[in-house]
Amino acid sequence: MKTHKSCKISHTNHLNNLDVPLSSSKSESNRVLILNAFSKPQATIGNLSDARDTRTMQRLLSSQEEILDVLDAGTTMRFLIAYHAISQSKVTLTGTERMQQRPVKILADALKVLGAEIEYLREPGYPPILLKPFPGQKSTELEIRGDVSSQYISALLMISPVLPSGLTIHLTGKIMSRPYIEMTLSLMAHYGIKYDWQGNTIRIEPQAYKALDYTIESDWSGASYWFAMVALAEKAEIKLLNLREKSLQGDKAIVEVMDQLGVSGQFEEDGIVLSKKEHKNNVDIDFSHCPDLAQTVAVTCAAKGIGGTFSGLESLRIKETDRIAALQNELAKIGAQLTEPAPGEWQLIPGTRSGKYENLTFETYEDHRMAMALAPLATLGNVTIEDPIVVEKSYPGFWSHMAMAGFKIEMQD
Ligand SMILES: O=C(O)C1=C[C@@H](OP(=O)(O)O)[C@@H](O)[C@H](O)C1
Ligand SMILES: C=C(OP(=O)(O)O)C(=O)O
């Protein structure tokens, strides 16, 4: 997709008889690429994601360069730090300006306990980061906080079986984004790895990855924007393809969340059919284990006039942008407020401007999820989304799928 200044989406409030193909999961894809890199021979991966973050992971895993640029891909950065920390190569990992503000110290400190030699090239605790050839394993056990990013834990888990003495990881504090840790372990199990998870301790013995073909499911985070469109449209019945009732992705939680916001989901063999139903007037949602759904849900509540009590939003400040600040700014344009009356407790106050909109323009803060969470407002009026190319990070087909759904999409320079 070419870079355009903005994208105008013309108002459409009926979405009918549509099969949405979606992108496949970038979280599953990025893990399977790392696991495949550790396996001999490699497995065949079906339905690998077309997300830029996945394409970047694939490209960098086969690169011989000394400086690897992950762009704005957080999982790619965190997984590759662990991968290269225990390799015999000398590699620098860098990324966009924002990526250089996303913390990696907790992961790097854990890798140093293992014996890795790591240097920060600019700001201590942040990329760019230099990973020297691994001198050998110094420890078989480490402690790591579970309340900042699960990506650090997934990164350590995936290298554990190939460490000469395996690894015991003690998780401390609250465990956030837990389904992503479970996804990592389930995919490792698919590759033949045995693990033992008791309480807050995970033990993985040294063992070989065995390639087994795998087909990646559609992306539930990307699906959430379609749930939002159904919640907000006047009439809607659509099918989202290749989503399974038994999923490795925690963002499948969108089915239960949107059930309260007026969307009924019925699983079929090849996906899930969404239709409209009654909604609640107030909801109480904890996003600790599905942080990527927060923007979709906040925008949907704001536009439907539903009050929200939200928790588990801590990690939103260290993602592609400060997602709390970005939401506060953009929700204000539809008269809604996101406030924090007590630490960690958030209130979504829909305000007076829910209903139909005139022309509204939204900024996206270099964050794909801001663009895709705000786009469903086109069911209520004409909407302009700035910097539409941001969606490429996880869902490059998003605008063309919206066009398929009947929205008139005009890219503007
Ligand atoms: O492991 C993963 O694939 C991800 C974990 C989550 O991050 P945190 O664990 O930092 O919350 C999520 O927000 C991100 O989009 C993808
Ligand atoms: C936070 C996200 O991704 P990452 O951390 O991999 O950049 C996301 O996709 O919303």
Side-chain angles (χ1 to χ4, degrees), residues 26-27 31 75 79 148-151 177 180 291-292 315 319:
K26 82 171 162 80
S27 288
R31 284 165 173 73
T75 46
F79 295 177
V148 177
S149 171
S150 70
Q151 294 176 15
S177 286
Y180 289 102
D292 294 354
S315 71
K319 301 221 184 260

Side-chain angles (χ1 to χ4, degrees), residues 31-189:
R31 284 165 173 73
V32 172
L33 286 172
I34 292 276
L35 303 184
N36 236 11
F38 282 132
S39 303
K40 274 191 198 85
Q42 299 207 332
T44 304
I45 306 170
N47 209 22
L48 189 71
S49 175
D50 58 352
R52 183 179 60 224
D53 286 8
T54 298
R55 285 187 274 115
T56 303
M57 176 69 102
Q58 197 170 26
R59 181 168 50 77
L60 297 185
L61 275 170
S62 57
S63 167
Q64 300 304 315
E65 308 275 308
E66 259 196 37
I67 300 178
L68 303 179
D69 184 352
V70 307
L71 309 171
D72 62 349
T75 46
T76 308
M77 171 62 83
R78 277 75 180 258
F79 295 177
L80 287 181
I81 287 178
Y83 180 82
H84 282 294
I86 61 153
S87 80
Q88 286 312 309
S89 47
K90 180 178 165 213
V91 163
T92 294
L93 283 164
T94 190
T96 58
E97 211 181 306
R98 175 63 184 170
M99 185 53 65
Q100 296 185 28
Q101 298 164 353
R102 295 184 67 186
V104 294
K105 184 173 188 302
I106 293 173
L107 172 60
D109 284 352
L111 289 163
K112 284 181 190 169
V113 170
L114 270 184
E117 291 191 352
I118 297 176
E119 265 177 38
Y120 299 109
L121 299 181
R122 208 162 288 160
E123 196 68 36
Y126 297 86
I129 185 168
L130 170 68
L131 306 153
K132 298 186 185 162
F134 190 49
Q137 186 170 2
K138 266 193 347 209
S139 167
T140 59
E141 240 172 280
L142 55 83
E143 266 193 7
I144 186 164
R145 287 173 65 170
D147 62 348
V148 177
S149 171
S150 70
Q151 294 176 15
Y152 308 146
I153 299 158
S154 289
L156 289 168
L157 288 170
M158 287 190 284
I159 62 167
S160 298
V162 299
L163 289 169
S165 311
L167 186 61
T168 301
I169 302 177
H170 301 287
L171 305 175
T172 63
K174 189 176 168 196
I175 303 175
M176 303 287 275
S177 286
R178 188 185 176 104
Y180 289 102
I181 300 174
E182 291 167 352
M183 175 195 285
T184 305
L185 288 169
S186 299
L187 288 171
M188 287 170 67

Side-chain angles (χ1 to χ4, degrees), residues 268-325:
E268 293 189 352
E269 187 99 325
D270 58 345
I272 184 168
V273 175
L274 308 186
S275 56
K276 293 191 69 72
K277 60 174 283 195
E278 291 290 297
H279 65 83
K280 290 192 177 172
N281 291 325
N282 285 288
V283 292
D284 188 338
I285 300 168
D286 179 358
F287 291 98
S288 302
H289 299 306
C290 52
D292 294 354
L293 299 179
Q295 291 145 295
T296 319
V297 173
V299 173
T300 307
C301 286
K304 270 185 94 75
I306 298 173
T309 303
F310 298 157
S311 56
L313 300 183
E314 291 76 8
S315 71
L316 265 65
R317 293 211 188 267
I318 55 165
K319 301 221 184 260
E320 283 78 334
T321 184
D322 175 342
R323 288 179 170 168
I324 298 281

